[in-house]
Amino acid sequence: MLNSFAIILLFGFIFGAVFKKLHLPQLMGMLILGIVIGPFCLNLISDEMLLISADLRQIALIIILTRAGLNIELCDLKKLGRPAVLMCFVPAIFEIVGMVFLAPLFFDVTVLEATIIGCVTAAVSPAVIVPKMLKLNEETYGTNKAIPQLIMAGASVDDIFVIVLFTTFTNMAQNGKFDIKSITTIPITIIVGIAFGYIIGFVMSQIFKKIHLRDSSKVVLILSISMLILANEKTLQQYIPFSALLSIMSIGIVIKTVIPIVATRLSAKYSKLWIAAEILLFVLVGATVNIDYALNAGIKTIVLLILALIFRITGVLLSLIYTPLNTKERLFTALAYIPKATVQAAIGGIPLAMGLACGDTVLTVAVVAILFTAPIGAFLIDITYKKLLIKDEN
């Protein structure tokens, strides 16, 4: 397994650097590397490594969501209020509904399976969006109306909302029946997840205030507790609906609110962790792709994704009605909500691992979504933000 680790990290770093040099998202190079060295091609990754790949992908998701939480300014979001809430849910719901109608036209899937595909594709990528929005913050583009914070917060909560839906619908598919009761518990799941994370985040903030710990020690503590929360999610769900990932991001938000200076330093530490976590996440998800199936489904999957994105953009624009954002700023926000990568990499392979009939289809759509939307979305953000957003000179 050490050989597999070395190959993944070394060549993942090299492929990422090459793609960055080509002005493409590094994660694309890592994903393509995974496909090449995976069991369906060169088969250079050991079986032991593939067995723990799901756990490694979850750790990567913990890191990026915590980092996002540590960078969300709740006070800035109050400037936009209602739109900030709508951006967390409405665009994703629109895309899922679009996929429910469209996917059965392109693939031999049921409505429930189409819903699962929609839940996987509806999440936007913190791995692409968070660094871009942090850059906009540093250059003060759109900050006078808190646009980077709006997009970053909306994208992060959007991911959690979609993951909650995904978990609900995959459980239904595994049980072989549609369960209304599971859907009605979704709001409770969100509220309990936020409350649980708030309590833990507040307690940890007080500990960090009163006990001197190195920032590295704080990161280890936060990361360990986050893993415990995620590992015991199913146990807690036996007693009350609960979202572990929402709690994990809430911890970061609370720390940012209570001790912002410490949160800034911790975010920098998490950024360093993400260097290795990103490589593992995208190389390992690429390794699970069935190349023959993906090639056969490639073109129609791209068409399906383009149509679904139209639904998503409509949802973004509706969320921004009656806001101080002008037309150009609304257009930029819609474009910034295009990239998909992190969540697709983290959950795209779960239906296949569960043995669901739609497993290969879900994974293929997830991977094509990453390869298609991540570079396009990142490119559109880079070339439009100076033209569509106003620089805050103050």
Side-chain angles (χ1 to χ4, degrees):
M1 192 161 71
L2 286 177
N3 278 334
S4 297
F5 256 114
I7 290 171
I8 290 171
L9 292 175
L10 177 60
F11 287 98
F13 180 80
I14 293 171
F15 271 57
V18 170
F19 272 68
K20 184 178 181 181
K21 202 74 174 175
L22 297 172
H23 301 288
L24 293 169
Q26 298 180 78
L27 58 88
M28 279 189 66
M30 299 165 192
L31 188 63
I32 291 170
L33 171 66
I35 294 172
V36 172
I37 67 175
F40 295 98
C41 195
L42 298 180
N43 195 24
L44 298 179
I45 302 177
S46 68
D47 293 337
E48 293 85 358
M49 188 73 181
L50 293 173
L51 284 173
I52 65 168
S53 67
D55 293 322
L56 293 173
R57 293 200 301 269
Q58 284 191 320
I59 292 171
L61 195 56
I62 287 172
I63 291 170
I64 192 62
L65 289 176
T66 305
R67 183 187 173 199
L70 290 168
N71 285 283
I72 292 174
E73 294 274 8
L74 293 181
C75 59
D76 286 340
L77 292 179
K78 291 178 182 178
K79 293 180 182 178
L80 292 172
R82 174 189 56 84
V85 176
L86 294 179
M87 286 287 287
C88 298
F89 309 102
V90 174
I93 291 173
F94 266 67
E95 186 168 356
I96 292 170
V97 170
M99 193 63 76
V100 168
F101 284 106
L102 295 168
L105 303 177
F106 289 82
F107 297 100
D108 183 21
V109 293
T110 64
V111 171
L112 180 56
E113 290 170 338
T115 307
I116 293 172
I117 295 172
C119 290
V120 171
T121 60
V124 290
S125 173
V128 177
I129 290 176
V130 170
K132 298 291 184 186
M133 294 307 107
L134 292 177
K135 179 183 176 184
L136 263 63
N137 259 339
E138 292 170 1
E139 298 182 15
T140 68
Y141 277 94
T143 52
N144 60 324
K145 296 181 182 177
I147 293 172
Q149 289 88 347
L150 169 68
I151 294 170
M152 194 157 49
S156 301
V157 179
D158 163 286
D159 288 353
I160 303 298
F161 174 63
V162 166
I163 290 170
V164 171
L165 293 179
F166 172 80
T167 304
T168 301
F169 289 114
T170 50
N171 287 338
M172 287 184 195
Q174 199 169 35
N175 296 331
K177 61 178 182 179
F178 188 83
D179 185 4
I180 291 292
K181 183 181 177 182
S182 297
I183 296 177
T184 59
T185 61
I186 290 173
I188 301 173
T189 301
I190 294 171
I191 293 169
V192 173
I194 292 173
F196 193 78
Y198 178 87
I199 293 169
I200 294 176
F202 183 78
V203 171
M204 294 182 76
S205 298
Q206 298 308 309
I207 292 172
F208 295 160
K209 278 183 176 181
K210 296 176 181 178
I211 301 175
H212 176 70
L213 294 170
R214 294 177 60 186
D215 288 337
S216 299
S217 300
K218 294 184 181 103
V219 169
V220 171
L221 184 60
I222 297 170
L223 198 56
S224 301
I225 290 174
S226 300
M227 290 179 186
L228 283 172
I229 294 171
L230 189 57
N232 292 282
E233 182 179 37
K234 291 190 181 297
T235 303
L236 292 170
Q237 285 175 343
Q238 294 175 3
Y239 306 99
I240 189 169
F242 170 76
S243 169
L245 291 174
L246 187 52
S247 293
I248 290 165
M249 192 177 72
S250 298
I251 292 171
I253 294 173
V254 174
I255 292 173
K256 176 67 173 178
T257 304
V258 179
I259 41 176
I261 296 175
V262 174
T264 300
R265 298 201 305 266
L266 294 178
S267 176
K269 295 286 185 182
Y270 268 88
S271 298
K272 294 174 182 178
L273 282 176
W274 178 241
I275 294 172
E278 181 182 32
I279 295 173
L280 289 171
L281 174 62
F282 290 101
V283 172
L284 288 174
V285 76
T288 61
V289 177
N290 185 324
I291 297 176
D292 292 334
Y293 188 92
L295 289 175
N296 290 331
I299 299 299
K300 61 181 179 181
T301 301
I302 291 175
V303 176
L304 173 62
L305 289 168
I306 291 172
L307 294 175
L309 282 173
I310 294 173
F311 278 82
R312 181 175 197 86
I313 290 171
T314 302
V316 172
L317 296 177
L318 286 175
S319 300
L320 298 176
I321 291 176
Y322 302 120
T323 66
L325 275 66
N326 60 38
T327 303
K328 289 183 177 180
E329 291 165 338
R330 295 181 190 191
L331 175 59
F332 175 82
T333 305
L335 295 177
Y337 251 47
I338 287 177
K340 304 173 184 297
T342 318
V343 173
Q344 287 72 26
I347 69 175
I350 291 177
L352 183 62
M354 293 172 68
L356 299 183
C358 61
D360 271 323
T361 303
V362 175
L363 179 60
T364 298
V365 173
V367 171
V368 174
I370 297 171
L371 292 172
F372 177 65
T373 66
I376 290 176
F379 177 72
L380 289 174
I381 291 171
D382 285 340
I383 67 168
T384 62
Y385 78 93
K386 290 184 178 180
K387 299 175 183 177
L388 300 179
L389 300 182
I390 298 171
K391 184 176 176 65
D392 184 1
E393 300 295 345
N394 297 320

